[in-house]
Amino acid sequence: MALNLVSPPEIHSISFLGSTKSSSFSKLFPGGFVLKKDCGTTFGRKVQCSAQAPQPPPAWPGRAFPDPGRKTWDGPKPISIVGSTGSIGTQTLDIVAENPDKFRVVALAAGSNVTLLVDQVKTFKPQLVAVRNESLVNELKEALADMEQKPEVIPGESGVIEVARHPDAVSVVTGIVGCAGLKPTVAAIEAGKDIALANKETLIAGGPFVLPLAHKHKVKILPADSEHSAIFQGLPEGALRRIILTASGGAFRDWPVDKLKEVKVADALKHPNWNMGKKITVDSATLFNKGLEVIEAHYLFGAEYDDIEIVIHPQSIIHSMVETQDSSVLAQLGWPDMRLPILYTMSWPERIYCSEITWPRLDLCKLGSLTFKAPDNVKYPSMSLAYAAGRAGGTMTGVLSAANEKAVELFIDEKWSYDHATYEVARPKLQTAEHSELYVFGGPLSDLVAICYCHTAPSNRPSVEPQPLDLRLVNEVYASIINQANHLEVLNSALGTHTLTIFSSQISYLDIFKVVELTCEKHQEEFVATPSLEEIIHYDLWARDYAASIQQSSGLSPEWAEVEKGIERGKADRLTVVG
């Protein structure tokens, strides 16, 4: 169900950015957010309001510096990995496997992929293992029963925290996604472990709390993502003038703005450069990934938001750049491969030789040209949202991130919508479905897909080239329909010649920006400038719930309203399936 809260001519005018408010609001907080004078209390603490809020805490001072006298281990460097079965974790273990003389694993933590975790434990033989899903701990122990030297196994969040602060670990790779990675990261910092940072919420949501803690414990935070690693590698001591973050531009970098209202999920998932997970691919299309990286760069390197820029670089070879005080620009180049920044966080300040068999070397002559262009603020309103949230600081950045994550989930999570579809089912024909075919065609309504059961002659079928599907789906759809009493009359009448079953996104592509905007606007009422860890986690959950409530309370989109009207009038048969 699409909300259609935003249309292309409107998406450049985000209302909470410098908008005027009534007299019940006090002065603007940095970034254009307005906070109510009487904000109340949260978790027993007075919420900071604009009239009394201090400036955001100082950012991490630029870069970590080598400390030769700090080395406390002999032989391979001991590391813990939090999130070992995810993308970051598996790539980290690939590096360890290639360099057993440089690194050894002392502890592993995973979420629920016990099969892969067991393989990792048997290969790398850590001393401690944790599985976050407590119901799987017995399965894990049984699978490890044949090991001569069994590791200690601790279930649940407490186990993940113990992995993060394992006494033998010198560095912790934080690969858990979302705010679930915050508590383990905090535990590692409090235990004095250096952080190979791959969990973006650590700074985007937790920066105001995490950075002072890292200062207190003299912990080094080293970025494990390609853009911030590029900045880290090229950052001049005391001479930073500007940070330039590069972006691929995502699926719609060459689309005109007025075409964005037609975006389908499949369109947003067609990244022009590589295949990634759905969430990060959509974030690349909206450019929210870069907006969040701007916030992270501010916290990591101490740059003001006015000194952090985004540039579209379609080839994705330059991972980011820094400008020095004398206007020199330093860039880090390489094939897009997450292993390199992960390796550098593990080996820093040293460089480790990598075989060109498994680490292809960059050939600029074969590569050819590198191009750049400025991002379109109308096409990518995420940039304005992210800069505004960043300037506000406090809990606003975490709310921005969580609301975006929920909005993307609503966009990509297509659901069957039996309640809003028209079913013209001829029972005898469905009962002989094994002798027929099921086809997929473009739906009659925008951002919908219709699955049609066609029992007509080929000449009468739509001109679109059909794609056969598993006929078992026909029976599943049929069973779902007949279980709903409001469709029995239609079923029994057997009026039609095909079944029309519709599914769609819960919100449209453009609605992603509006859901994030509305969530940030609402959060002004409870904004906290210097939050505790509990408040950071609380507002992460709050933002997800509020973003979902926007979708649930918005009512039907115009497209669905037309379907409902057609059903009421008994004229739904006029909805023609088209290609």
Side-chain angles (χ1 to χ4, degrees):
M1 180 187 302
L3 297 180
N4 290 299
L5 297 174
V6 185
S7 60
E10 298 168 340
I11 60 178
H12 66 281
S13 57
I14 305 298
S15 64
F16 78 101
L17 303 179
S19 60
T20 57
K21 299 288 184 179
S22 68
S23 58
S24 64
F25 288 83
S26 61
K27 65 180 182 180
L28 289 174
F29 197 73
F33 292 97
V34 185
L35 306 178
K36 286 186 176 179
K37 291 179 180 178
D38 183 13
C39 300
T41 58
T42 305
F43 293 97
R45 294 175 49 195
K46 186 70 177 178
V47 176
Q48 297 285 357
C49 300
S50 62
Q52 65 190 68
Q55 290 299 313
W60 188 247
R63 66 179 302 171
F65 294 97
D67 184 4
R70 197 176 182 214
K71 183 175 179 180
T72 58
W73 71 93
D74 295 320
K77 184 177 183 179
I79 64 170
S80 290
I81 304 174
V82 178
S84 67
T85 57
S87 174
I88 297 297
T90 55
Q91 291 180 87
T92 301
L93 289 172
D94 288 343
I95 293 170
V96 174
E98 280 191 50
N99 300 276
D101 59 325
K102 300 292 185 182
F103 310 106
R104 65 184 176 92
V105 177
V106 297
L108 292 174
S112 57
N113 190 341
V114 171
T115 301
L116 180 54
L117 180 59
V118 168
D119 290 341
Q120 293 174 345
V121 172
K122 291 183 176 181
T123 300
F124 296 97
K125 299 177 173 56
Q127 303 166 27
L128 174 64
V129 179
V131 57
R132 188 178 184 87
N133 187 336
E134 297 187 30
S135 66
L136 299 174
V137 66
N138 290 333
E139 179 183 344
L140 175 61
K141 288 181 177 180
E142 290 174 7
L144 300 176
D146 60 346
M147 291 186 66
E148 291 185 7
Q149 294 183 331
K150 298 180 183 63
E152 181 182 4
V153 177
I154 304 178
E157 184 179 58
S158 61
V160 178
I161 289 174
E162 290 304 316
V163 166
R165 63 186 181 196
H166 191 281
D168 291 348
V170 172
S171 180
V172 179
V173 179
T174 59
I176 290 182
V177 176
C179 271
L182 260 177
K183 287 185 178 180
T185 303
V186 167
I189 292 172
E190 290 176 336
K193 314 298 181 184
D194 288 341
I195 306 297
L197 183 65
N199 172 275
K200 63 183 176 62
E201 281 77 14
T202 295
L203 293 183
I204 293 171
F209 176 83
V210 168
L211 290 177
L213 190 69
H215 280 293
K216 176 182 177 181
H217 294 279
K218 299 180 180 179
V219 163
K220 302 183 191 307
I221 299 179
L222 309 174
D225 65 303
S226 58
E227 293 81 6
H228 298 103
S229 178
I231 298 165
F232 176 64
Q233 293 179 56
L235 198 65
E237 182 179 347
L240 177 64
R241 185 173 183 175
R242 180 173 53 136
I243 287 174
I244 305 169
L245 289 166
T246 56
S248 69
F252 308 125
R253 68 187 181 203
D254 299 319
W255 282 42
V257 173
D258 59 3
K259 193 180 177 183
L260 294 180
K261 61 184 178 181
E262 304 171 8
V263 167
K264 311 294 189 296
V265 174
D267 298 325
L269 296 179
K270 292 178 182 177
H271 195 284
N273 292 2
W274 50 73
N275 293 321
M276 304 181 292
K278 290 184 178 181
K279 165 62 166 57
I280 186 59
T281 304
V282 174
D283 278 353
S284 180
T286 62
L287 223 65
F288 258 115
N289 64 331
K290 290 302 139 181
L292 295 172
E293 286 171 13
V294 165
I295 297 169
E296 195 171 1
H298 164 75
Y299 281 125
L300 272 171
F301 307 113
E304 298 295 334
Y305 284 100
D306 288 344
D307 299 326
I308 305 174
E309 298 180 9
I310 299 172
V311 63
I312 303 295
H313 171 46
Q315 294 80 20
S316 300
I317 295 298
I318 295 179
H319 299 300
S320 278
M321 296 171 272
V322 294
E323 182 183 12
T324 64
Q325 292 294 332
D326 61 5
S327 76
S328 295
V329 176
L330 309 177
Q332 189 265 331
L333 287 72
W335 296 117
D337 187 336
M338 277 297 298
R339 292 178 303 163
L340 182 57
I342 295 171
L343 172 63
Y344 192 59
T345 64
M346 296 165 63
S347 67
W348 178 87
E350 299 177 2
R351 295 278 187 175
I352 293 178
Y353 175 82
C354 296
S355 168
E356 59 187 88
I357 297 175
T358 54
W359 299 70
R361 299 172 71 182
L362 186 64
D363 189 328
L364 293 176
C365 294
K366 287 184 178 179
L367 181 64
S369 62
L370 301 177
T371 59
F372 308 88
K373 65 178 180 179
D376 185 340
N377 285 302
V378 177
K379 182 184 292 187
Y380 302 114
S382 52
M383 294 190 299
S384 296
L385 290 164
Y387 275 94
R391 290 188 172 102
T395 50
M396 192 62 76
T397 51
V399 165
L400 174 94
S401 176
N404 171 64
E405 189 167 328
K406 186 62 181 181
V408 171
E409 177 187 321
L410 293 171
F411 170 63
I412 63 179
D413 186 19
E414 296 177 305
K415 293 184 179 296
W416 293 102
S417 302
Y418 298 119
D419 290 339
H420 303 294
T422 302
Y423 302 100
E424 298 179 45
V425 181
R427 184 190 291 270
K429 293 179 180 180
L430 265 179
Q431 290 173 338
T432 60
E434 63 271 19
H435 303 300
S436 306
E437 293 176 315
L438 189 67
Y439 294 96
V440 175
F441 304 97
L445 308 172
S446 65
D447 73 17
L448 301 180
V449 175
I451 292 183
C452 302
Y453 169 73
C454 297
H455 203 76
T456 56
S459 60
N460 295 329
R461 289 174 180 160
S463 59
V464 179
E465 183 67 21
Q467 302 175 25
L469 292 181
D470 189 339
L471 288 177
R472 287 175 297 180
L473 184 58
V474 175
N475 295 327
E476 294 174 8
V477 172
Y478 179 59
S480 298
I481 295 172
I482 63 175
N483 285 333
Q484 299 187 46
N486 59 321
H487 292 297
L488 287 178
E489 183 178 350
V490 178
L491 281 165
N492 291 331
S493 64
L495 295 175
T497 58
H498 64 268
T499 304
L500 179 62
T501 304
I502 298 174
F503 67 92
S504 73
S505 298
Q506 298 177 72
I507 66 172
S508 75
Y509 173 79
L510 292 178
D511 291 338
I512 294 173
F513 306 106
K514 194 65 177 181
V515 167
V516 175
E517 175 206 351
L518 292 174
T519 305
C520 288
E521 276 195 330
K522 182 65 176 177
H523 182 56
Q524 294 173 108
E525 300 172 6
E526 298 184 13
F527 172 83
V528 184
T530 53
S532 66
L533 180 61
E534 291 74 18
E535 287 168 328
I536 290 168
I537 294 172
H538 166 76
Y539 283 114
D540 174 88
L541 298 173
W542 172 88
R544 296 168 194 273
D545 290 342
Y546 187 80
S549 73
I550 295 173
Q551 183 267 333
Q552 293 167 359
S553 63
S554 63
L556 297 176
S557 70
E559 290 93 340
W560 281 122
E562 288 302 312
V563 176
E564 291 288 290
K565 290 178 183 177
I567 293 173
E568 292 175 5
R569 293 193 303 265
K571 299 178 181 179
D573 56 310
R574 295 183 181 180
L575 292 175
T576 305
V577 178
V578 296

